[in-house]
Amino acid sequence: MAPSHALRCCKRALNWIPVLFINLVVGWSYYAYVVELCVYTIPNNPERISYLVLFHIFFTMFIWSYWKTIWSKPESPSKVFCLPRAEKELFEREERAETQQEILKKVAKNLPVYTRTAGGAVRYCDHCQVIKPDRCHHCSTCEMCVLKMDHHCPWVNNCVGFSNYKYFVLFLTYAALYCVVICATVIQYFLKFWTKVLPDTHAKFHVLFLFFVAALFFVSVLSLLGYHLWLVGKNRTTIEAFRAPVFANGPDKNGFSLGFKRNAAEVFGDQGKYWMFPVSSNLGDGHSFVTRLVHIDPERANGILQQNGKSPADGKPDPCVHGNNIQYTADDSKENIEGGQTDSVKVENEQ
């Protein structure tokens, strides 16, 4: 036990090396820009002050979103998705996989779970002993099931999922803008040092290297940012982009797509004033998600939902999942799943 615990502690310590590397690079870039460029190289105060103000705005947003991504604890499924005591005892005693699946299906009927494994089985985590909510996956590094898991990122030493995906996208956005600000303001002094217009000083190395590092990081971050913005627009996670979620009617890579605006609102929220700040504004609880009309293009489905969607009326069953003027009831949704119907969302016409 002791060696295993020691190895686990060493592994956790080593996981912080990429984060330490990023912070060292950012710390050096701050020194190189503020001290070597603004203090020692820029000759006039108006330019120096304007550069410092612009730099610190993007530096603050970059660091804020980066550390929010790191310190936001991944959310795991609630206790509702655990097997009740009686069913859990039956499940653990049962050796036949078919019977175990019958137990899981019985419990899953009362849960907002509509995705299955590739073989059509209920998704169950043996490590965490929970029925996995839609879009939830087990992270072997974090040793837990993570709601709407996108991927485990070594650069933040954390799982990127429902609780911090907005912060992660903002971190990439402000990292790219931070690099743009550095390159745009440093380039004239980079050229002056390169062509020897400015004399060789201790600032030369820092200014030259700062431009190269910022340009290199910008290219790498921009490609990753573009990919994740595409995922946001499609309402997919990185896992779903490589392996389409499986519904009752089979795999559907666009199963959660409701059109660009609603897909973006699911990550950033429905109030635009919070979009650019790393504060919690995403929609939902991470346990259940609205699904589009299967076999219909997302944009067409978005138009249909806008025309036919309505809020739950008084006296009707509480919606299992609701949002963006879409609702479907637990009973009707489960009947569609079990009956193999083509609709994964029940849309009621306006009266």
Side-chain angles (χ1 to χ4, degrees):
M1 292 296 292
S4 176
H5 178 72
L7 289 174
R8 183 173 297 182
C9 291
C10 290
K11 181 182 178 182
R12 290 178 179 175
L14 291 174
N15 287 340
W16 285 101
I17 291 180
V19 177
L20 178 62
F21 172 76
I22 292 294
N23 280 274
L24 289 175
V25 172
V26 173
W28 166 80
S29 70
Y30 184 89
Y31 166 79
Y33 192 94
V34 173
V35 178
E36 299 295 343
L37 176 69
C38 292
V39 175
Y40 293 130
T41 305
I42 298 178
N44 59 84
N45 285 330
E47 184 181 6
R48 180 183 296 119
I49 293 172
S50 61
Y51 279 17
L52 285 173
V53 171
L54 182 66
F55 173 82
H56 279 92
I57 290 174
F58 287 96
F59 176 80
T60 301
M61 297 303 294
F62 167 48
I63 294 298
W64 185 10
S65 56
Y66 180 57
W67 282 98
K68 283 283 285 188
T69 307
I70 293 175
W71 293 119
S72 296
K73 184 178 180 181
E75 292 190 23
S76 57
S78 68
K79 294 181 179 180
V80 175
F81 289 83
C82 296
L83 295 178
R85 179 176 297 180
E87 283 76 6
K88 184 178 180 181
E89 292 177 354
L90 289 174
F91 182 85
E92 291 175 345
R93 287 200 305 264
E94 185 58 55
E95 296 181 356
R96 292 172 298 177
E98 296 81 1
T99 307
Q100 288 182 330
Q101 270 300 305
E102 291 300 321
I103 296 172
L104 294 177
K105 287 180 180 179
K106 179 182 176 181
V107 177
K109 284 184 177 180
N110 301 317
L111 298 172
V113 176
Y114 302 101
T115 56
R116 297 290 187 262
T117 65
V122 175
R123 301 190 317 127
Y124 181 77
C125 180
D126 293 315
H127 298 282
C128 302
Q129 296 185 333
V130 295
I131 294 176
K132 294 180 183 178
D134 294 343
R135 316 184 84 174
C136 175
H137 298 275
H138 185 86
C139 176
S140 58
T141 304
C142 295
E143 298 180 345
M144 62 182 292
C145 282
V146 178
L147 296 180
K148 196 186 177 184
M149 179 178 173
D150 187 88
H151 69 289
H152 184 91
C153 180
W155 301 108
V156 298
N157 191 28
N158 199 2
C159 251
V160 176
F162 176 78
S163 65
N164 62 354
Y165 188 63
K166 175 191 174 183
Y167 309 148
F168 177 75
V169 175
L170 288 179
F171 151 59
L172 295 178
T173 301
Y174 287 118
L177 292 175
Y178 178 70
C179 293
V180 168
V181 168
I182 290 177
C183 289
T185 54
V186 167
I187 187 168
Q188 62 171 313
Y189 296 99
F190 169 85
L191 294 175
K192 289 179 180 179
F193 276 122
W194 189 266
T195 56
K196 299 187 183 302
V197 173
L198 290 176
D200 290 345
T201 63
H202 57 82
K204 179 179 180 179
F205 166 79
H206 292 281
V207 172
L208 294 179
F209 201 53
L210 180 62
F211 180 83
F212 280 123
V213 171
L216 181 63
F217 271 81
F218 172 74
V219 173
S220 59
V221 170
L222 184 64
S223 59
L224 188 59
L225 172 61
Y227 176 67
H228 279 280
L229 290 178
W230 178 79
L231 290 178
V232 170
K234 295 292 185 179
N235 203 344
R236 299 178 196 168
T237 64
T238 299
I239 295 174
E240 291 165 355
F242 286 95
R243 184 173 65 250
V246 180
F247 297 88
N249 302 294
D252 186 357
K253 63 181 180 180
N254 293 317
F256 296 105
S257 182
L258 301 171
F260 177 79
K261 288 184 178 180
R262 295 186 179 185
N263 294 343
E266 190 170 291
V267 175
F268 294 101
D270 51 10
Q271 299 186 54
K273 61 183 179 181
Y274 297 121
W275 280 29
M276 291 295 100
F277 299 95
V279 295
S280 179
S281 62
N282 54 338
L283 302 180
D285 60 2
H287 290 87
S288 55
F289 299 88
V290 177
T291 57
R292 75 178 184 92
L293 299 179
V294 180
H295 305 314
I296 296 181
D297 180 78
E299 297 302 326
R300 287 182 56 207
N302 185 44
I304 293 172
L305 293 171
Q306 284 180 326
Q307 294 173 11
N308 299 336
K310 56 179 289 188
S311 300
D314 293 336
K316 292 186 178 182
D318 292 335
C320 180
V321 182
H322 64 90
N324 301 328
N325 298 324
I326 311 163
Q327 69 101 358
Y328 57 96
T329 61
D331 293 339
D332 292 336
S333 299
K334 286 299 181 182
E335 287 176 2
N336 285 342
I337 290 292
E338 298 299 331
Q341 300 297 319
T342 58
D343 293 345
S344 63
V345 175
K346 178 186 176 185
V347 180
E348 298 185 356
N349 294 325
E350 293 184 26
Q351 295 179 350

